[in-house]
Amino acid sequence: MVIQDSTDAGDGRVGVRLEPFLHQVGGHLSVMQYDEHTVCKPLISQEQKFYESLPLAMKRFTPQYKGTITVHLRRDSMGHLSLVANPLKENQGPFKVSTESAAVAIWQTLQQTTSGIGSGTHPLTQWQHAQLAHSLKESPAKALLRSEFHFNAEVSSPVEDTSGDQAARRSFNPWGLHCHQAHLTRLCSEHPENKRHRILALENVVSQYKHPCILDLKMGTRQHGDDASEEKKARHMRKCAQSTSACLGVRICGMQVYQTDKKYFLCKDKYYGRKLSVEGFRQALHQFLHDGTRLRTELLDPILHQLRALLLVIRSQSSYRFYSSSLLIIYDGQEPPERTLGGLHPQEAPQTALTKVDIRMIDFAHTTYKGSRNELTTYDGPDPGYIFGLENLIQILQDIEEGE
């Protein structure tokens, strides 16, 4: 959303208010949406350095790096905080606001829950009021998400269509909204209003999907960086030992799966993923590929094809250690119309005509490699923990494909 930046009185500059990214399924740092094709996240120098020196072979499996953006905190007349960004240089033309986006409306609704409860005029149901208000009042560690939630929090968007009717209600994953709230609270203590600072701009890797189904996998047998304190190192080692990270080299950090029968996203959080056994992990992968009516078996071949290609790339990257990074598996929960498939059942149709999946590595704040900034340790050979996780992930998906 474009706004006139009143803090720069007289210079006429226009700022872009960053929206919460409604398809963030994992992580603890807020991912924000700049426009349809660009998301932003807090800038960490090690991650910026990684993107700026990214090996060519890895670019296929990472979001496109778009540089950094200058932002500042702004409080409107209602007291609502937002982050306002200077327009990207390559986007000098008018910024087009998509009528499909309900992020701003949902975010404003979320903020108002702390003061609007009991008014009787709010579009949320009484139950949704209680859930959202409760989550905002709890401590961030307890409130960001409750384990294994099934949150069908549909919010009516105020955007109207051409006929004057209110736009269709839509479901959303609340993880990103809660991360955004925590991020703004944190920024209030770190940056005064109107003080400029920079954030990272990256490709929105789900922009092409109507109902993006996303699986966020924490890869590797070790999650702490070389610069971690002893306390943090012990905490991360404990998490790995008590989850599938230790025995499989991979664990679930979050997911959303579009349920075609009920028209909402089934969501799982990182706390759910930490508690899974090996068999539970396998069942969760099965659930990620299930749309509520059938198992999307046609997705398995293209997913496996890309995972095997990524495995070859990781094996070729000497000295890299991708500590605490994640791997996203993405597909569209909206299947192509049957008429484009010549009347074939989806499982019988040609794979190339039906499926589009993405495999993307994200989160490189603790990635280290020879020549990286502030490197404390130099490693030889490819990352064994990451490779171990990929190999196990591939094997489990192969078992699902073979019906085992």
Side-chain angles (χ1 to χ4, degrees), residues 350-393:
Q351 300 297 315
T352 55
L354 182 70
T355 54
K356 172 69 174 77
V357 302
D358 259 320
I359 304 294
R360 300 294 184 105
M361 300 174 69
I362 60 168
D363 297 341
F364 304 104
H366 301 288
T367 294
T368 181
Y369 51 94
K370 188 176 181 180
S372 63
R373 189 178 305 168
N374 300 326
E375 70 177 282
L376 303 176
T377 307
T378 299
Y379 299 92
D380 292 322
D383 188 333
Y386 203 106
I387 290 173
F388 179 63
L390 270 179
E391 289 175 338
N392 283 317
L393 178 61

Side-chain angles (χ1 to χ4, degrees), residues 182-202:
H183 181 57
L184 290 180
T185 301
R186 196 161 50 245
L187 285 178
C188 284
S189 63
E190 296 175 357
H191 299 282
E193 285 184 51
N194 307 326
K195 181 181 179 181
R196 265 57 177 171
H197 60 282
R198 301 190 75 79
I199 59 176
L200 207 62
L202 300 167

Side-chain angles (χ1 to χ4, degrees), residues 134-135 138-147 271:
H134 176 65
S135 66
E138 287 180 342
S139 66
K142 294 181 180 179
L144 283 180
L145 276 186
R146 287 159 298 283
S147 179
Y271 303 109

Side-chain angles (χ1 to χ4, degrees), residues 217-225 232-252 278 314 320-326 379 382-393:
L217 298 167
K218 186 73 72 174
M219 301 300 297
T221 53
R222 168 182 158 176
Q223 301 303 324
H224 61 277
K232 187 174 183 180
K233 178 180 177 180
R235 188 172 70 250
H236 281 283
M237 290 177 68
R238 188 164 55 249
K239 288 178 186 177
C240 288
Q242 296 173 349
S243 69
T244 56
S245 291
C247 55
L248 293 178
V250 55
R251 76 170 182 260
I252 291 176
V278 172
I314 297 299
Y320 277 81
R321 294 296 181 272
F322 302 98
Y323 298 138
S324 199
S325 73
S326 284
Y379 299 92
D383 188 333
Y386 203 106
I387 290 173
F388 179 63
L390 270 179
E391 289 175 338
N392 283 317
L393 178 61

